[in-house]
Amino acid sequence: MKARQNGALVLAMVSCLFLSACSDNDDAVTGLFPDEPEPEIWRFALEEIGGSVQDAWAQEFRRRISELSEGQVQVEIYPYGSIGTSPHLTQLVEDGRVHLAFASPGHVADDIPEAGIFLLPFLFPESDEANRRTLADSELLTLLQSGWQDAGLQLLDLVPEGWMIWTADRPIQSPDDFDGLRMRTMTAPLQAEVFRTWGAEPVPMPYSEVYDALQLGQVDGQSNPAFAIAEMNFHEVQSVMTVPRATRFVASVVSNRDWYRNLDDRHRQWLNAARAGMPEFIDEVQRNYNRRRLQQIRESGRITMERLTDEQRERFREASLPARDSFLERAGERGERILQRVQSLSRDEGAD
Ligand code: 6CS
């Protein structure tokens, strides 16, 4: 009797499974008989932590790609710290281990001398809008693209992340104030060269080591946009912020060159459609992040803030001009054309 009961139970279970196998709507069964192809994964490595400008760019890009491809492409985001420091991330893209990454000129100019153009102070237009127009100039982009391609990379976008602010244990109102100051710089030699023109003692190091180095007194100051100072808590271990409006932090979004060239038309279209409109999106984001976080830093009461006057800025501008020669030495003839193009665009916009 018991055996007959068990037999009936097994039969009921099998029938149930069979019936549900015939149903299109049952998730468990869809899993057993998949008719959808697995989504393609694009790995995207960031030089910044969650909640940063780069993270906002990547999250929006992920959302757009997923929507455009109807889920056929999924972007996996690796925030800073999960797979390496900036030079490692660029190397991973060059080796084809990740598809996309952020590559900041302050680091990548070591590999791509043309990227050093973004490290030169008082060169690009002052207003956000004019700067955006300059970064979108097709002649400039073609010249830059060649530099990125020589390194096995495809330059996909340039992302301005806000004005660099100097933080230190003192206000920096003239190049004399930099005298003997150990300034942490990003790792590209040209970045160090710029601070040397002002009399500082540059100390190149990865982003992840800056907080401890400031706290332990291994360096006296550093330079980054307000949002980064706040999210990395540099304001906790520094006493004065100086706003020189000398250089913007501009990051590049890159992919592996061969991967990009081998994308089929459909994937290339999704990629290009997702990128369209991103400059306007991220400009709005970076402005909000920088404004809000600067406000938070000031409210914390842990650090004071000084803005340079135009006369003070002029002294820094003049002192920094030899860095343009260092750029030209590194970036050669193409660098010269890049510099001339930026100068001419900036002049048209009423700067430089
Ligand atoms: O200072 C740095 O190294 C970093 N700063 C920012 C704002 N983004 C990434 C970069 O590596």
Side-chain angles (χ1 to χ4, degrees):
M1 177 70 184
K2 193 141 195 216
R4 215 175 319 139
Q5 271 178 347
N6 283 348
L9 189 63
V10 170
L11 189 65
M13 284 168 70
V14 170
S15 320
C16 193
L17 190 63
F18 178 77
L19 284 176
S20 46
C22 296
S23 154
D24 283 338
N25 299 327
D26 191 299
D27 285 349
V29 172
T30 312
L32 285 173
F33 304 100
D35 51 7
E36 292 283 321
E38 285 288 306
E40 186 172 318
I41 305 291
W42 291 358
R43 290 189 287 272
F44 193 170
L46 312 186
E47 298 175 294
E48 294 168 4
I49 59 177
S52 62
V53 174
Q54 292 187 2
D55 184 51
W57 199 101
Q59 300 284 353
E60 177 65 9
F61 178 75
R62 169 162 72 180
R63 190 191 66 72
R64 290 178 182 208
I65 284 283
S66 174
E67 194 176 294
L68 287 158
S69 71
E70 295 177 344
Q72 291 179 57
V73 178
Q74 299 292 337
V75 176
E76 244 170 45
I77 299 173
Y78 295 85
Y80 189 63
S82 53
I83 47 176
T85 64
S86 295
H88 296 133
L89 303 185
T90 308
Q91 190 62 51
L92 287 171
V93 181
E94 287 172 5
D95 295 347
R97 290 167 184 271
V98 302
H99 306 85
L100 302 149
F102 269 93
S104 301
H107 296 287
V108 89
D110 195 12
D111 219 12
I112 307 172
E114 292 84 349
I117 194 75
F118 298 107
L119 306 177
L120 298 178
F122 304 102
L123 177 65
F124 283 84
E126 261 204 82
S127 93
D128 283 349
E129 222 171 279
N131 187 58
R132 213 168 53 218
R133 277 196 295 274
T134 301
L135 296 184
D137 177 70
S138 56
E139 189 179 327
L140 177 63
L141 286 173
T142 306
L143 287 164
L144 293 171
Q145 186 66 266
S146 309
W148 265 252
Q149 286 178 4
D150 286 353
L153 299 171
Q154 180 75 21
L155 172 60
L156 295 176
D157 264 306
L158 291 169
V159 180
E161 300 191 20
W163 287 111
M164 297 294 258
I165 295 176
W166 301 327
T167 68
D169 53 0
R170 65 188 87 156
I172 303 165
Q173 291 165 335
S174 84
D176 295 340
D177 295 322
F178 265 129
D179 193 25
L181 200 79
R182 290 164 305 167
M183 279 297 275
R184 176 270 170 172
T185 64
M186 289 179 267
T187 49
L190 184 67
Q191 177 76 101
E193 198 51 47
V194 170
F195 281 92
R196 223 172 266 124
T197 64
W198 289 325
E201 190 188 309
V203 184
M205 71 174 64
Y207 198 33
S208 51
E209 292 174 19
V210 181
Y211 182 92
D212 287 348
L214 290 168
Q215 192 178 40
L216 298 172
Q218 291 165 329
V219 292
D220 307 307
Q222 67 81 46
S223 173
N224 256 307
F227 85 87
I229 294 170
E231 75 188 12
M232 300 301 276
N233 297 316
F234 298 153
H235 61 291
E236 292 177 359
V237 283
Q238 295 276 265
S239 44
V240 187
M241 288 190 293
T242 302
V243 184
R245 295 193 329 284
T247 325
R248 277 190 180 77
F249 189 99
V250 178
S252 68
V253 182
V254 300
S255 74
N256 178 282
R257 170 96 178 113
D258 291 337
W259 173 79
Y260 179 81
R261 278 158 48 138
N262 292 325
L263 282 176
D264 62 31
D265 288 349
R266 222 162 38 116
H267 286 79
R268 172 98 40 106
Q269 253 172 27
W270 291 333
L271 177 62
N272 291 338
R275 287 161 54 204
M278 283 302 274
E280 291 76 14
F281 164 81
I282 204 64
D283 212 36
E284 179 79 20
V285 169
Q286 69 84 8
R287 264 189 272 173
N288 281 336
Y289 280 19
N290 280 306
R291 196 176 41 236
R292 280 211 315 264
R293 305 227 180 126
L294 193 58
Q295 184 67 19
Q296 283 166 13
I297 294 174
R298 295 175 76 174
E299 283 170 9
S300 75
R302 301 179 87 139
I303 188 163
T304 60
M305 189 169 97
E306 312 244 340
R307 284 178 199 278
L308 296 190
T309 63
D310 284 343
E311 293 75 49
Q312 289 168 330
R313 293 173 70 231
E314 183 51 27
R315 287 198 59 196
F316 283 102
R317 195 188 77 83
E318 271 173 27
S320 74
L321 292 177
R324 296 187 186 187
D325 298 330
S326 306
F327 166 73
L328 293 175
E329 274 163 34
R330 291 179 160 86
E333 196 261 333
R334 194 188 286 146
E336 196 171 341
R337 288 168 60 204
I338 291 172
L339 179 60
Q340 283 168 357
R341 185 69 192 149
V342 175
Q343 281 175 320
S344 126
L345 290 165
S346 300
R347 229 173 277 125
D348 293 347
E349 296 286 359
D352 193 44

